[in-house]
Amino acid sequence: MALSGRIAQVPGIANTGVETQINTRMNAFREIKPVELPNCKLVKGIESGSEDLEVLHNGLAFISTGLKYPGIKVFEPDKPGKILLMDLNEEDPTVLELRITGSNFDLSSFNPHGISTFTDEDNTVYLLVVSHPDLKSTVELFKFQEEEKTLLHLKTIKHKLLPKINDIVAVGPEHFYATNDHYFVDTYLTFWEMYLGLAWSYAVYYSPNEVQVMASGFDFANGINISPDGKYVYIAESMAHKIHVYEKHANWTLTPLKSLDFDTIVDNISVDPVTGDLWIGCHPNGMKVFFYDPENPPGSEVLRIQNILTEEPKVTVVYADNGTVLQASTTASVYKGKLLIGTVFHRALYCEL
């Protein structure tokens, strides 16, 4: 049943203008024109999503796959999620599942969502993974062991201010900013929170000694990232179609600087470590994501934002597809002239720029 049909069954709702607001926020009627890139290939070994990805300076890419999220299509519902590794230096890179080690980690309930890395002064790489075991929210802290191609589980982080985590950006091994995409946890209440447009979601700073809400009032806070110099934090507000820019202070507080408006549903944010450009995985039509129809699948769109801190940032649609090739893009990262695009439940695409 279409969303409009569901809303119409609730007395008084369909005639209040809520339905119109939903269609607007979801971009329910938007269709896109394809924007193609040369030499694109679907990545072998990714069949059930690549919701978030993180590329290290040496070209190794971590990819989260197998997300199970309420209301979103799942192609392999009975399989736990995984973290994959892909070496972007290879001519025709493939993915390898990273084996997770650690005595107290439950692999069967692993449900990875947003991910982020932090490289210590001794070049130790920590991977922080948002997970939803039994639809709860945790942050799983791993140490990447490159030679063994394993992830050593170090710690599970939970907190009352991290009830519905979507994405994360690490600023230390156990220090991070995170977005909660909803205020409520209960699936029924999150449904109404989202479809009534209650802008109650928020972003948090977490450290072992302090946890604090740093930004709030979002209509589905989603992707979050930080500038290469560490001075600015970027937050995607999906249902408002906005990217917000904040100044980060020494005490970790955030001051809003500006917001950019788009005609697409913005998801995860990647930042080019060399240029500082933002690369955004987007959903042209959110209705097609939440109400999946294989005959009319959700499309994909990738935006590049250059000079975001200036008065006239340059926004370019780098890639767009109507779902024929790639469905429901969520993230995109660049490395040495190549673009890797991930999706919430579908494949991954690797292209030349």
Side-chain angles (χ1 to χ4, degrees):
M1 182 186 296
L3 178 61
S4 57
R6 294 186 183 186
I7 295 296
Q9 291 182 352
V10 182
I13 290 293
N15 298 322
T16 62
V18 172
E19 187 175 355
T20 300
Q21 293 178 8
I22 292 168
N23 287 334
T24 300
R25 291 163 59 236
M26 285 279 194
N27 271 2
F29 305 111
R30 183 175 178 230
E31 301 292 340
I32 58 170
K33 296 180 180 179
V35 176
E36 297 180 350
L37 288 171
N39 299 322
C40 287
K41 296 180 180 179
L42 291 168
V43 179
K44 296 178 181 178
I46 297 180
E47 305 289 343
S48 56
S50 43
E51 203 281 337
D52 202 7
L53 56 94
E54 180 94 352
V55 182
L56 299 177
H57 289 280
N58 62 5
L60 293 180
F62 298 100
I63 304 169
S64 65
T65 184
L67 174 66
K68 297 145 190 80
Y69 187 94
I72 298 293
K73 178 69 177 178
V74 182
F75 285 119
E76 296 181 330
D78 298 325
K79 293 185 178 180
K82 305 172 184 176
I83 300 296
L84 306 176
L85 186 70
M86 184 173 175
D87 188 349
L88 303 186
N89 296 294
E90 296 178 356
E91 186 68 27
D92 188 16
T94 57
V95 294
L96 168 73
E97 179 183 351
L98 289 174
R99 185 169 60 89
I100 296 175
T101 62
S103 58
N104 296 317
F105 187 72
D106 182 10
L107 287 170
S108 65
S109 64
F110 189 41
N111 188 9
H113 197 166
I115 63 175
S116 184
T117 59
F118 181 81
T119 303
D120 223 336
E121 293 179 355
D122 62 358
N123 289 322
T124 300
V125 176
Y126 296 94
L127 178 67
L128 288 78
V129 180
V130 175
S131 182
H132 303 291
D134 304 317
L135 300 183
K136 298 180 175 64
S137 284
T138 64
V139 173
E140 305 297 342
L141 174 62
F142 299 97
K143 178 182 177 181
F144 175 50
Q145 299 175 308
E146 185 172 351
E147 289 188 9
E148 297 88 347
K149 298 294 188 293
T150 61
L151 293 172
L152 174 63
H153 183 251
L154 301 178
K155 187 175 183 179
T156 295
I157 297 171
K158 302 177 184 178
H159 195 274
K160 64 181 180 180
L161 289 179
L162 299 170
K164 204 73 169 58
I165 318 171
N166 186 298
D167 198 19
I168 185 172
V169 58
V171 292
E174 296 183 51
H175 303 68
F176 55 83
Y177 291 96
T179 55
N180 289 289
D181 55 33
H182 290 80
Y183 176 84
F184 294 110
V185 176
D186 178 83
T187 302
Y188 178 79
L189 293 177
T190 59
F191 174 89
W192 286 109
E193 178 185 348
M194 182 171 178
Y195 292 113
L196 292 177
L198 304 180
W200 291 357
S201 68
Y202 53 96
V204 168
Y205 170 72
Y206 176 93
S207 73
N209 300 319
E210 177 188 17
V211 186
Q212 186 177 346
V213 175
M214 292 301 184
S216 59
F218 298 113
D219 188 359
F220 202 112
N222 199 321
I224 186 167
N225 217 317
I226 196 166
S227 61
D229 60 11
K231 295 181 179 180
Y232 304 96
V233 170
Y234 311 117
I235 298 177
E237 185 179 10
S238 289
M239 293 305 155
H241 313 162
K242 294 177 181 287
I243 297 289
H244 300 278
V245 182
Y246 293 84
E247 183 178 2
K248 180 178 74 66
H249 302 287
N251 63 355
W252 305 105
T253 58
L254 302 176
T255 299
L257 286 184
K258 64 188 298 185
S259 298
L260 279 68
D261 296 291
F262 302 91
D263 63 350
T264 189
I265 297 174
V266 288
D267 202 312
N268 288 327
I269 304 168
S270 295
V271 178
D272 187 327
V274 178
T275 65
D277 295 348
L278 277 64
W279 292 79
I280 319 292
C282 305
H283 305 285
N285 185 322
M287 199 69 79
K288 292 183 179 182
V289 177
F290 284 96
F291 298 90
Y292 183 77
D293 178 0
E295 301 301 319
N296 186 23
S300 294
E301 190 172 26
V302 174
L303 302 182
R304 179 188 186 184
I305 307 174
Q306 297 169 274
N307 306 315
I308 192 169
L309 298 174
T310 66
E311 292 185 3
E312 296 184 3
K314 180 181 179 181
V315 179
T316 307
V317 179
V318 177
Y319 177 82
D321 178 72
N322 61 10
T324 303
V325 176
L326 197 68
Q327 301 177 13
S329 58
T330 53
T331 186
S333 286
V334 292
Y335 180 76
K336 293 186 176 180
K338 301 289 183 68
L339 178 67
L340 180 60
I341 308 171
T343 66
V344 64
F345 54 73
H346 193 229
R347 307 288 299 277
L349 195 68
Y350 191 48
C351 302
E352 293 184 7
L353 290 171

